[in-house]
PDB file of all heavy atoms in Angstrom:
ATOM      1  N   GLN T  23      22.516  31.306 -29.744  1.00 94.00           N
ATOM      2  CA  GLN T  23      21.676  30.164 -29.914  1.00 94.00           C
ATOM      3  C   GLN T  23      20.240  30.432 -29.439  1.00 94.00           C
ATOM      4  O   GLN T  23      19.278  30.014 -30.030  1.00 94.00           O
ATOM      5  CB  GLN T  23      22.245  28.891 -29.195  1.00 94.00           C
ATOM      6  CG  GLN T  23      21.448  27.648 -29.329  1.00 94.00           C
ATOM      7  CD  GLN T  23      21.232  27.264 -30.822  1.00 94.00           C
ATOM      8  OE1 GLN T  23      22.135  27.486 -31.684  1.00 94.00           O
ATOM      9  NE2 GLN T  23      20.090  26.669 -31.149  1.00 94.00           N
ATOM     10  N   LYS T  27      16.469  30.890 -31.620  1.00 93.00           N
ATOM     11  CA  LYS T  27      15.294  30.038 -31.407  1.00 93.00           C
ATOM     12  C   LYS T  27      14.165  30.696 -30.689  1.00 93.00           C
ATOM     13  O   LYS T  27      13.011  30.279 -30.874  1.00 93.00           O
ATOM     14  CB  LYS T  27      15.750  28.879 -30.438  1.00 93.00           C
ATOM     15  CG  LYS T  27      16.424  27.770 -31.086  1.00 93.00           C
ATOM     16  CD  LYS T  27      15.740  27.156 -32.266  1.00 93.00           C
ATOM     17  CE  LYS T  27      14.517  26.392 -31.971  1.00 93.00           C
ATOM     18  NZ  LYS T  27      14.863  24.973 -31.503  1.00 93.00           N
ATOM     19  N   GLU T  41      27.860  31.119  -7.230  1.00 92.00           N
ATOM     20  CA  GLU T  41      27.051  30.988  -6.113  1.00 92.00           C
ATOM     21  C   GLU T  41      25.674  31.568  -6.314  1.00 92.00           C
ATOM     22  O   GLU T  41      24.795  31.635  -5.373  1.00 92.00           O
ATOM     23  CB  GLU T  41      27.708  31.805  -4.924  1.00 92.00           C
ATOM     24  CG  GLU T  41      28.194  30.820  -3.855  1.00 92.00           C
ATOM     25  CD  GLU T  41      29.658  31.023  -3.427  1.00 92.00           C
ATOM     26  OE1 GLU T  41      30.101  32.169  -3.395  1.00 92.00           O
ATOM     27  OE2 GLU T  41      30.270  30.029  -3.190  1.00 92.00           O
ATOM     28  N   ARG T  44      19.276  30.733  -9.566  1.00 96.00           N
ATOM     29  CA  ARG T  44      18.798  30.620 -10.971  1.00 96.00           C
ATOM     30  C   ARG T  44      17.608  31.604 -11.056  1.00 96.00           C
ATOM     31  O   ARG T  44      16.575  31.404 -10.445  1.00 96.00           O
ATOM     32  CB  ARG T  44      18.294  29.207 -11.265  1.00 96.00           C
ATOM     33  CG  ARG T  44      19.526  28.155 -11.235  1.00 96.00           C
ATOM     34  CD  ARG T  44      19.012  26.823 -11.439  1.00 96.00           C
ATOM     35  NE  ARG T  44      18.334  26.515 -12.703  1.00 96.00           N
ATOM     36  CZ  ARG T  44      18.930  26.128 -13.806  1.00 96.00           C
ATOM     37  NH1 ARG T  44      20.264  25.928 -13.813  1.00 96.00           N
ATOM     38  NH2 ARG T  44      18.250  25.961 -14.927  1.00 96.00           N
ATOM     39  N   ASP T  84      25.729  31.985 -16.623  1.00 96.00           N
ATOM     40  CA  ASP T  84      24.865  31.062 -17.361  1.00 96.00           C
ATOM     41  C   ASP T  84      23.627  31.775 -17.918  1.00 96.00           C
ATOM     42  O   ASP T  84      23.054  32.644 -17.231  1.00 96.00           O
ATOM     43  CB  ASP T  84      24.316  30.000 -16.413  1.00 96.00           C
ATOM     44  CG  ASP T  84      25.343  29.070 -15.803  1.00 96.00           C
ATOM     45  OD1 ASP T  84      26.162  28.526 -16.634  1.00 96.00           O
ATOM     46  OD2 ASP T  84      25.302  28.898 -14.613  1.00 96.00           O
ATOM     47  N   GLY T  87      17.971  28.534 -22.024  1.00 91.00           N
ATOM     48  CA  GLY T  87      16.682  28.852 -22.688  1.00 91.00           C
ATOM     49  C   GLY T  87      16.746  28.609 -24.136  1.00 91.00           C
ATOM     50  O   GLY T  87      17.677  27.988 -24.626  1.00 91.00           O
ATOM     51  N   PRO T  88      15.743  29.017 -24.902  1.00 96.00           N
ATOM     52  CA  PRO T  88      14.521  29.675 -24.361  1.00 96.00           C
ATOM     53  C   PRO T  88      13.603  28.672 -23.638  1.00 96.00           C
ATOM     54  O   PRO T  88      13.511  27.553 -24.092  1.00 96.00           O
ATOM     55  CB  PRO T  88      13.902  30.215 -25.555  1.00 96.00           C
ATOM     56  CG  PRO T  88      14.319  29.249 -26.693  1.00 96.00           C
ATOM     57  CD  PRO T  88      15.687  28.749 -26.296  1.00 96.00           C
ATOM     58  N   THR T 218      12.642  23.540 -16.067  1.00 94.00           N
ATOM     59  CA  THR T 218      12.463  22.479 -17.031  1.00 94.00           C
ATOM     60  C   THR T 218      11.425  21.462 -16.584  1.00 94.00           C
ATOM     61  O   THR T 218      11.300  20.366 -17.244  1.00 94.00           O
ATOM     62  CB  THR T 218      13.799  21.771 -17.283  1.00 94.00           C
ATOM     63  OG1 THR T 218      14.123  21.030 -16.132  1.00 94.00           O
ATOM     64  CG2 THR T 218      14.871  22.664 -17.724  1.00 94.00           C
ATOM     65  N   MET T 220      11.388  19.913 -13.479  1.00 95.00           N
ATOM     66  CA  MET T 220      11.987  18.911 -12.660  1.00 95.00           C
ATOM     67  C   MET T 220      11.697  19.142 -11.155  1.00 95.00           C
ATOM     68  O   MET T 220      11.659  18.187 -10.413  1.00 95.00           O
ATOM     69  CB  MET T 220      13.505  18.934 -12.893  1.00 95.00           C
ATOM     70  CG  MET T 220      14.307  17.912 -12.107  1.00 95.00           C
ATOM     71  SD  MET T 220      14.926  18.535 -10.540  1.00 95.00           S
ATOM     72  CE  MET T 220      16.334  19.485 -11.109  1.00 95.00           C
ATOM     73  N   CYS T 221      11.512  20.376 -10.729  1.00 95.00           N
ATOM     74  CA  CYS T 221      11.408  20.651  -9.305  1.00 95.00           C
ATOM     75  C   CYS T 221       9.970  20.783  -8.804  1.00 95.00           C
ATOM     76  O   CYS T 221       9.718  20.572  -7.602  1.00 95.00           O
ATOM     77  CB  CYS T 221      12.240  21.850  -8.858  1.00 95.00           C
ATOM     78  SG  CYS T 221      11.489  23.451  -9.225  1.00 95.00           S
ATOM     79  N   GLY T 223       8.481  23.444  -8.204  1.00 95.00           N
ATOM     80  CA  GLY T 223       8.384  24.620  -7.368  1.00 95.00           C
ATOM     81  C   GLY T 223       7.483  25.722  -7.965  1.00 95.00           C
ATOM     82  O   GLY T 223       6.922  26.504  -7.257  1.00 95.00           O
ATOM     83  N   ARG T 225       4.637  25.416  -9.302  1.00 94.00           N
ATOM     84  CA  ARG T 225       3.280  24.981  -9.571  1.00 94.00           C
ATOM     85  C   ARG T 225       2.268  26.092  -9.178  1.00 94.00           C
ATOM     86  O   ARG T 225       2.425  26.792  -8.188  1.00 94.00           O
ATOM     87  CB  ARG T 225       2.997  23.686  -8.900  1.00 94.00           C
ATOM     88  CG  ARG T 225       3.079  23.654  -7.401  1.00 94.00           C
ATOM     89  CD  ARG T 225       3.068  22.187  -6.861  1.00 94.00           C
ATOM     90  NE  ARG T 225       3.005  22.200  -5.426  1.00 94.00           N
ATOM     91  CZ  ARG T 225       4.045  22.426  -4.642  1.00 94.00           C
ATOM     92  NH1 ARG T 225       5.258  22.592  -5.085  1.00 94.00           N
ATOM     93  NH2 ARG T 225       3.914  22.344  -3.333  1.00 94.00           N
ATOM     94  N   ALA T 254       0.517  34.179  -2.634  1.00 92.00           N
ATOM     95  CA  ALA T 254       1.043  33.625  -1.343  1.00 92.00           C
ATOM     96  C   ALA T 254       2.363  32.943  -1.635  1.00 92.00           C
ATOM     97  O   ALA T 254       3.341  33.116  -0.888  1.00 92.00           O
ATOM     98  CB  ALA T 254       0.051  32.696  -0.752  1.00 92.00           C
ATOM     99  N   ARG T 255       2.464  32.180  -2.724  1.00 90.00           N
ATOM    100  CA  ARG T 255       3.639  31.350  -2.936  1.00 90.00           C
ATOM    101  C   ARG T 255       4.835  32.259  -3.345  1.00 90.00           C
ATOM    102  O   ARG T 255       5.983  31.981  -3.056  1.00 90.00           O
ATOM    103  CB  ARG T 255       3.410  30.321  -4.044  1.00 90.00           C
ATOM    104  CG  ARG T 255       2.657  29.073  -3.486  1.00 90.00           C
ATOM    105  CD  ARG T 255       2.582  27.991  -4.538  1.00 90.00           C
ATOM    106  NE  ARG T 255       3.877  27.474  -4.972  1.00 90.00           N
ATOM    107  CZ  ARG T 255       4.507  26.543  -4.274  1.00 90.00           C
ATOM    108  NH1 ARG T 255       4.058  26.014  -3.215  1.00 90.00           N
ATOM    109  NH2 ARG T 255       5.701  26.109  -4.719  1.00 90.00           N
ATOM    110  N   TYR T 259       9.762  33.264   0.164  1.00 88.00           N
ATOM    111  CA  TYR T 259      11.121  33.420   0.594  1.00 88.00           C
ATOM    112  C   TYR T 259      11.433  34.878   1.115  1.00 88.00           C
ATOM    113  O   TYR T 259      12.545  35.153   1.422  1.00 88.00           O
ATOM    114  CB  TYR T 259      12.055  33.074  -0.537  1.00 88.00           C
ATOM    115  CG  TYR T 259      12.034  31.600  -0.774  1.00 88.00           C
ATOM    116  CD1 TYR T 259      11.372  31.073  -1.865  1.00 88.00           C
ATOM    117  CD2 TYR T 259      12.566  30.721   0.157  1.00 88.00           C
ATOM    118  CE1 TYR T 259      11.268  29.692  -2.046  1.00 88.00           C
ATOM    119  CE2 TYR T 259      12.528  29.329   0.012  1.00 88.00           C
ATOM    120  CZ  TYR T 259      11.847  28.835  -1.113  1.00 88.00           C
ATOM    121  OH  TYR T 259      11.719  27.523  -1.325  1.00 88.00           O
ATOM    122  N   LEU T 262      13.483  35.017   4.264  1.00 80.00           N
ATOM    123  CA  LEU T 262      14.870  34.568   4.039  1.00 80.00           C
ATOM    124  C   LEU T 262      15.629  35.501   3.214  1.00 80.00           C
ATOM    125  O   LEU T 262      16.778  35.770   3.472  1.00 80.00           O
ATOM    126  CB  LEU T 262      14.885  33.185   3.413  1.00 80.00           C
ATOM    127  CG  LEU T 262      14.593  31.991   4.331  1.00 80.00           C
ATOM    128  CD1 LEU T 262      14.259  30.765   3.534  1.00 80.00           C
ATOM    129  CD2 LEU T 262      15.799  31.762   5.250  1.00 80.00           C
TER     130      LEU T 262
ATOM    131  N   HIS R 173      22.914  23.604 -15.211  1.00 96.00           N
ATOM    132  CA  HIS R 173      24.258  24.308 -15.377  1.00 96.00           C
ATOM    133  C   HIS R 173      25.423  23.369 -14.945  1.00 96.00           C
ATOM    134  O   HIS R 173      26.559  23.755 -15.075  1.00 96.00           O
ATOM    135  CB  HIS R 173      24.291  25.631 -14.600  1.00 96.00           C
ATOM    136  CG  HIS R 173      24.046  25.508 -13.103  1.00 96.00           C
ATOM    137  ND1 HIS R 173      22.807  25.844 -12.567  1.00 96.00           N
ATOM    138  CD2 HIS R 173      24.786  25.087 -12.111  1.00 96.00           C
ATOM    139  CE1 HIS R 173      22.883  25.589 -11.279  1.00 96.00           C
ATOM    140  NE2 HIS R 173      24.091  25.156 -10.966  1.00 96.00           N
ATOM    141  N   ASN R 210      23.381  24.073 -19.834  1.00 96.00           N
ATOM    142  CA  ASN R 210      22.354  25.041 -20.196  1.00 96.00           C
ATOM    143  C   ASN R 210      21.710  24.783 -21.542  1.00 96.00           C
ATOM    144  O   ASN R 210      21.251  25.746 -22.180  1.00 96.00           O
ATOM    145  CB  ASN R 210      22.903  26.483 -20.099  1.00 96.00           C
ATOM    146  CG  ASN R 210      23.365  26.892 -18.751  1.00 96.00           C
ATOM    147  OD1 ASN R 210      22.634  26.675 -17.801  1.00 96.00           O
ATOM    148  ND2 ASN R 210      24.538  27.476 -18.650  1.00 96.00           N
ATOM    149  N   THR R 216      16.249  24.597 -26.516  1.00 95.00           N
ATOM    150  CA  THR R 216      17.477  25.275 -27.117  1.00 95.00           C
ATOM    151  C   THR R 216      17.740  24.684 -28.510  1.00 95.00           C
ATOM    152  O   THR R 216      18.083  25.430 -29.482  1.00 95.00           O
ATOM    153  CB  THR R 216      18.668  25.044 -26.255  1.00 95.00           C
ATOM    154  OG1 THR R 216      18.307  25.266 -24.868  1.00 95.00           O
ATOM    155  CG2 THR R 216      19.778  26.011 -26.566  1.00 95.00           C
ATOM    156  N   GLU R 221      16.879  19.090 -35.254  1.00 96.00           N
ATOM    157  CA  GLU R 221      17.950  20.086 -35.576  1.00 96.00           C
ATOM    158  C   GLU R 221      19.306  19.478 -35.316  1.00 96.00           C
ATOM    159  O   GLU R 221      20.248  19.704 -36.172  1.00 96.00           O
ATOM    160  CB  GLU R 221      17.798  21.329 -34.690  1.00 96.00           C
ATOM    161  CG  GLU R 221      16.622  22.252 -35.186  1.00 96.00           C
ATOM    162  CD  GLU R 221      16.282  23.269 -34.171  1.00 96.00           C
ATOM    163  OE1 GLU R 221      16.783  23.290 -33.024  1.00 96.00           O
ATOM    164  OE2 GLU R 221      15.528  24.185 -34.554  1.00 96.00           O
ATOM    165  N   GLY R 238      12.499  13.055 -14.152  1.00 91.00           N
ATOM    166  CA  GLY R 238      12.722  14.243 -13.280  1.00 91.00           C
ATOM    167  C   GLY R 238      11.485  14.947 -12.926  1.00 91.00           C
ATOM    168  O   GLY R 238      11.460  15.884 -12.195  1.00 91.00           O
ATOM    169  N   GLU R 248      -1.754  21.158  -1.126  1.00 94.00           N
ATOM    170  CA  GLU R 248      -0.412  20.940  -1.661  1.00 94.00           C
ATOM    171  C   GLU R 248       0.289  22.110  -2.203  1.00 94.00           C
ATOM    172  O   GLU R 248       1.466  22.057  -2.439  1.00 94.00           O
ATOM    173  CB  GLU R 248      -0.504  19.827  -2.726  1.00 94.00           C
ATOM    174  CG  GLU R 248      -0.220  18.493  -2.203  1.00 94.00           C
ATOM    175  CD  GLU R 248      -0.203  17.387  -3.254  1.00 94.00           C
ATOM    176  OE1 GLU R 248      -0.687  17.591  -4.332  1.00 94.00           O
ATOM    177  OE2 GLU R 248       0.409  16.372  -2.925  1.00 94.00           O
ATOM    178  N   ASN R 249      -0.469  23.218  -2.387  1.00 92.00           N
ATOM    179  CA  ASN R 249       0.224  24.404  -2.870  1.00 92.00           C
ATOM    180  C   ASN R 249       0.530  25.398  -1.785  1.00 92.00           C
ATOM    181  O   ASN R 249       0.865  26.547  -2.030  1.00 92.00           O
ATOM    182  CB  ASN R 249      -0.643  25.095  -3.984  1.00 92.00           C
ATOM    183  CG  ASN R 249      -0.592  24.240  -5.246  1.00 92.00           C
ATOM    184  OD1 ASN R 249       0.374  23.537  -5.491  1.00 92.00           O
ATOM    185  ND2 ASN R 249      -1.601  24.324  -6.093  1.00 92.00           N
ATOM    186  N   ASN R 251       2.510  27.216   1.208  1.00 94.00           N
ATOM    187  CA  ASN R 251       3.958  27.524   1.371  1.00 94.00           C
ATOM    188  C   ASN R 251       4.540  26.567   2.385  1.00 94.00           C
ATOM    189  O   ASN R 251       4.025  26.395   3.494  1.00 94.00           O
ATOM    190  CB  ASN R 251       4.160  28.983   1.880  1.00 94.00           C
ATOM    191  CG  ASN R 251       3.884  29.967   0.804  1.00 94.00           C
ATOM    192  OD1 ASN R 251       3.716  29.614  -0.333  1.00 94.00           O
ATOM    193  ND2 ASN R 251       3.815  31.224   1.198  1.00 94.00           N
ATOM    194  N   TYR R 254       7.096  21.054  -0.434  1.00 96.00           N
ATOM    195  CA  TYR R 254       8.122  20.846  -1.532  1.00 96.00           C
ATOM    196  C   TYR R 254       7.954  19.451  -2.159  1.00 96.00           C
ATOM    197  O   TYR R 254       7.522  18.540  -1.538  1.00 96.00           O
ATOM    198  CB  TYR R 254       9.512  20.880  -0.877  1.00 96.00           C
ATOM    199  CG  TYR R 254      10.143  22.163  -0.505  1.00 96.00           C
ATOM    200  CD1 TYR R 254      10.288  22.516   0.872  1.00 96.00           C
ATOM    201  CD2 TYR R 254      10.619  23.053  -1.408  1.00 96.00           C
ATOM    202  CE1 TYR R 254      10.814  23.713   1.233  1.00 96.00           C
ATOM    203  CE2 TYR R 254      11.239  24.221  -1.082  1.00 96.00           C
ATOM    204  CZ  TYR R 254      11.352  24.595   0.261  1.00 96.00           C
ATOM    205  OH  TYR R 254      11.950  25.692   0.602  1.00 96.00           O
ATOM    206  N   SER R 255       8.440  19.403  -3.414  1.00 96.00           N
ATOM    207  CA  SER R 255       8.732  18.075  -3.948  1.00 96.00           C
ATOM    208  C   SER R 255      10.143  17.777  -3.441  1.00 96.00           C
ATOM    209  O   SER R 255      10.930  18.743  -3.191  1.00 96.00           O
ATOM    210  CB  SER R 255       8.735  18.100  -5.459  1.00 96.00           C
ATOM    211  OG  SER R 255       9.948  18.683  -5.944  1.00 96.00           O
ATOM    212  N   ASN R 257      12.470  16.650  -5.088  1.00 96.00           N
ATOM    213  CA  ASN R 257      13.417  17.178  -6.048  1.00 96.00           C
ATOM    214  C   ASN R 257      13.708  18.614  -5.840  1.00 96.00           C
ATOM    215  O   ASN R 257      14.926  19.029  -5.909  1.00 96.00           O
ATOM    216  CB  ASN R 257      12.748  17.123  -7.486  1.00 96.00           C
ATOM    217  CG  ASN R 257      13.024  15.781  -8.168  1.00 96.00           C
ATOM    218  OD1 ASN R 257      13.605  14.910  -7.563  1.00 96.00           O
ATOM    219  ND2 ASN R 257      12.544  15.664  -9.387  1.00 96.00           N
ATOM    220  N   GLU R 258      12.776  19.443  -5.493  1.00 96.00           N
ATOM    221  CA  GLU R 258      13.071  20.848  -5.303  1.00 96.00           C
ATOM    222  C   GLU R 258      13.890  21.033  -4.020  1.00 96.00           C
ATOM    223  O   GLU R 258      14.864  21.736  -3.984  1.00 96.00           O
ATOM    224  CB  GLU R 258      11.772  21.711  -5.178  1.00 96.00           C
ATOM    225  CG  GLU R 258      12.129  23.185  -4.905  1.00 96.00           C
ATOM    226  CD  GLU R 258      10.973  24.097  -4.770  1.00 96.00           C
ATOM    227  OE1 GLU R 258       9.764  23.699  -4.868  1.00 96.00           O
ATOM    228  OE2 GLU R 258      11.159  25.355  -4.591  1.00 96.00           O
ATOM    229  N   LYS R 273      25.529  32.868   1.745  1.00 87.00           N
ATOM    230  CA  LYS R 273      26.748  32.962   0.897  1.00 87.00           C
ATOM    231  C   LYS R 273      26.366  32.476  -0.501  1.00 87.00           C
ATOM    232  O   LYS R 273      26.692  33.105  -1.433  1.00 87.00           O
ATOM    233  CB  LYS R 273      27.813  32.105   1.531  1.00 87.00           C
ATOM    234  CG  LYS R 273      29.163  32.159   0.741  1.00 87.00           C
ATOM    235  CD  LYS R 273      30.237  31.293   1.468  1.00 87.00           C
ATOM    236  CE  LYS R 273      31.509  31.221   0.582  1.00 87.00           C
ATOM    237  NZ  LYS R 273      31.349  30.070  -0.368  1.00 87.00           N
ATOM    238  N   ALA R 275      23.320  32.097  -3.045  1.00 91.00           N
ATOM    239  CA  ALA R 275      22.068  32.918  -3.090  1.00 91.00           C
ATOM    240  C   ALA R 275      20.763  32.287  -2.974  1.00 91.00           C
ATOM    241  O   ALA R 275      19.734  32.949  -2.786  1.00 91.00           O
ATOM    242  CB  ALA R 275      22.161  33.763  -4.416  1.00 91.00           C
ATOM    243  N   ASN R 397       9.841  13.586 -18.071  1.00 91.00           N
ATOM    244  CA  ASN R 397       9.603  14.949 -18.499  1.00 91.00           C
ATOM    245  C   ASN R 397       9.226  14.930 -20.038  1.00 91.00           C
ATOM    246  O   ASN R 397       9.834  14.214 -20.775  1.00 91.00           O
ATOM    247  CB  ASN R 397      10.837  15.759 -18.284  1.00 91.00           C
ATOM    248  CG  ASN R 397      10.757  17.187 -18.717  1.00 91.00           C
ATOM    249  OD1 ASN R 397      10.368  17.474 -19.785  1.00 91.00           O
ATOM    250  ND2 ASN R 397      11.076  18.064 -17.805  1.00 91.00           N
TER     251      ASN R 397
END
Side-chain angles (χ1 to χ4, degrees):
Chain T
Q23 182 56 34
K27 281 308 286 281
E41 249 129 37
R44 294 174 62 93
D84 298 308
T218 66
M220 182 269 280
C221 77
R225 61 194 188 279
R255 282 186 64 82
Y259 291 104
L262 280 165
Chain R
H173 58 258
N210 297 313
T216 316
E221 284 166 350
E248 265 183 340
N249 288 334
N251 290 351
Y254 281 109
S255 76
N257 273 3
E258 179 178 3
K273 182 173 170 278
N397 181 306

